């Protein structure tokens, strides 16, 4: 994909590793381009049934590369944050949420600024115990972005969301788990094997049902119960007609493990 990102496909799992370890994998325009190309490849490849996102080195991602912005300022330009969000960050968050396959984020170290909120835009967040989540924006005169102001109050409640966003205080992984911000904090040495195990299980799971489940939970935030019940009915109609559902029921009745293909039809 390029020098800023490692991209591997194996056994139904695509692994994306942000790869600017000297800068804690901060986002440059080039990294954004490479990540968008990786997502294009993932979206277009039906054999990929799970995605793993992680970072190289001691950090997960320190958000926008401020050095890249400094170069613009030194050249007499201004940092216009809205444009970067419109062009890169917002499409990235939308794509992660709309991707019809589960995305596991293995937060291997500090996740700051946009890096923290991109991790939280993934479906399942595992974090190394040494990792932390930092809403670094206020420290440099910015507001939280990449959906942070949406997801933090929903997962943590407004008191904790406000304090994290206004102070920029790091939230250690174990506290993030205890507060319900992430799925699990794990020993540093176990992080990647846990993440690979989860992705391997997803790569053998009924992909269509997982994609529909992901959408149902996302849409529930804006729905009342009646609307959600209707959406569940429509989604169940779709899931129940997949070959994987037929296989799941057959396997249950036959007292054997199911073999799911992830396909929509025969
Ligand atoms: C970095 C960065 C970085 C460049 C560490 N850039 N080099 C959207 C749209 C438009 C405009 C702007 O922003 C956004 C969204 C955003 O993401 S805004 C938020 C940007 N991110 C930050 O403000 C975080 C800045 N980084 C930090 O606060 C610290 O580095 C953290 C807390 C992440 C980690 O601290 P340490 O573990 O003490 O590491 P460090 O600070 O020593 O960093 C290691 C190296 O990485 C260092 O480089 P050097 O060459 O001196 O070894 C840092 O300069 C570099 N680095 N973050 N965002």
């Amino acid at each position: 994909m390029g020098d800023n990102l490692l991209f591997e496909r194996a056994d139904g799992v695509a692994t994306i590793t942000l790869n600017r370890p000297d800068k804690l994998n901060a986002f440059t325009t080039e990294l954004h381009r490479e990540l968008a190309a990786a997502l294009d490849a993932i979206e277009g490849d039906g054999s990929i049934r799970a995605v793993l996102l992680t970072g190289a080195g001691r950090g997960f991602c320190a958000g926008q590369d401020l050095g890249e912005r400094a170069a613009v300022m030194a050249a007499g330009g201004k940092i216009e944050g809205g444009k970067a969000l419109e062009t890169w960050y917002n499409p990235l968050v939308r794509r992660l949420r709309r991707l019809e396959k589960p995305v596991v984020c293995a937060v291997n170290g500090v996740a700051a600024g946009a890096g923290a909120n991109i991790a939280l835009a993934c479906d399942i967040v595992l974090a190394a115990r040494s990792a932390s989540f930092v809403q670094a924006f206020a420290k440099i005169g910015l507001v939280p972005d990449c959906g942070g102001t949406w997801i933090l109050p929903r997962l943590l409640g407004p008191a904790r969301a406000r304090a994290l966003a206004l102070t920029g205080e790091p939230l250690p992984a174990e506290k993030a788990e205890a507060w319900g911000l992430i799925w699990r904090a794990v020993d540093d040495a176990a992080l990647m094997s846990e993440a690979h195990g989860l992705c391997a299980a997803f790569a053998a799971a009924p992909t269509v049902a997982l994609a529909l489940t992901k959408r149902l939970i996302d849409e529930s935030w804006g729905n009342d119960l009646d609307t959600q019940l209707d959406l569940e009915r429509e989604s169940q109609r779709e899931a129940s007609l997949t070959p994987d559902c037929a296989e799941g029921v057959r396997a249950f009745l036959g007292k054997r493990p199911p073999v799911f293909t992830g396909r929509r039809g025969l």
Side-chain angles (χ1 to χ4, degrees):
M1 286 285 153
D3 297 339
N4 300 281
L5 177 140
L6 306 173
F7 183 60
E8 269 178 71
R9 290 184 243 208
D11 304 323
V13 179
T15 302
I16 299 172
T17 307
L18 307 176
N19 191 32
R20 304 187 66 236
D22 294 350
K23 299 295 173 194
L24 304 179
N25 305 314
F27 270 99
T28 55
T29 303
E30 214 30 61
L31 175 53
H32 273 299
R33 266 200 197 100
E34 290 177 27
L35 185 51
L39 290 172
D40 287 343
I42 289 166
E43 283 168 358
D45 184 346
S47 75
I48 294 178
R49 292 163 67 188
V51 180
L52 173 55
L53 176 64
T54 191
R58 74 173 178 89
F60 168 68
C61 176
Q64 170 63 41
D65 187 308
L66 299 173
E68 191 181 54
R69 301 275 143 172
V72 173
M73 287 170 92
K78 281 193 180 159
I79 301 175
E80 205 281 82
K83 190 156 179 258
L85 294 184
E86 192 57 33
T87 310
W88 297 112
Y89 291 95
N90 288 356
L92 168 60
V93 170
R94 291 190 174 109
R95 288 182 87 175
L96 290 169
R97 293 311 322 136
R98 287 174 192 161
L99 199 62
E100 293 182 332
K101 351 199 168 200
V103 184
V104 173
C105 188
V107 179
N108 51 300
V110 66
N117 295 336
I118 287 165
L120 299 177
C122 297
D123 293 300
I124 296 198
V125 186
L126 296 174
R129 268 184 231 292
S130 66
S132 58
F133 296 81
V134 193
Q135 297 295 318
F137 309 90
K139 306 244 184 216
I140 55 168
L142 289 175
V143 302
D145 56 24
C146 293
T149 59
W150 190 88
I151 197 76
L152 291 170
R154 281 171 170 75
L155 296 182
L156 302 179
R160 286 170 169 168
R162 243 194 312 267
L164 288 176
L166 295 178
T167 65
E169 201 178 287
L171 183 69
E174 282 186 358
K175 209 166 184 183
E177 178 190 325
W179 282 9
L181 187 68
I182 64 168
W183 172 233
R184 200 178 280 163
V186 300
D187 290 341
D188 287 27
L191 177 70
M192 293 316 291
S193 65
E194 287 244 3
H196 283 300
L198 204 48
C199 285
F202 285 143
T207 310
V208 175
L210 298 196
L212 290 167
T213 303
K214 172 170 170 168
R215 196 184 74 192
L216 278 166
I217 291 177
D218 278 6
E219 295 202 3
S220 74
W221 292 116
N223 286 342
D224 59 19
L225 178 61
D226 278 335
T227 311
Q228 192 67 14
L229 288 171
D230 288 346
L231 196 59
E232 286 178 1
R233 181 197 59 217
E234 291 313 306
S235 301
Q236 200 66 293
R237 198 194 306 276
E238 202 177 328
S240 62
L241 294 174
T242 59
D244 279 346
C245 179
E247 164 63 6
V249 174
R250 263 194 317 266
F252 176 77
L253 296 175
K255 299 190 187 303
R256 62 168 174 82
V259 181
F260 294 124
T261 65
R263 285 199 284 273
R264 249 167 222 286
L266 291 172

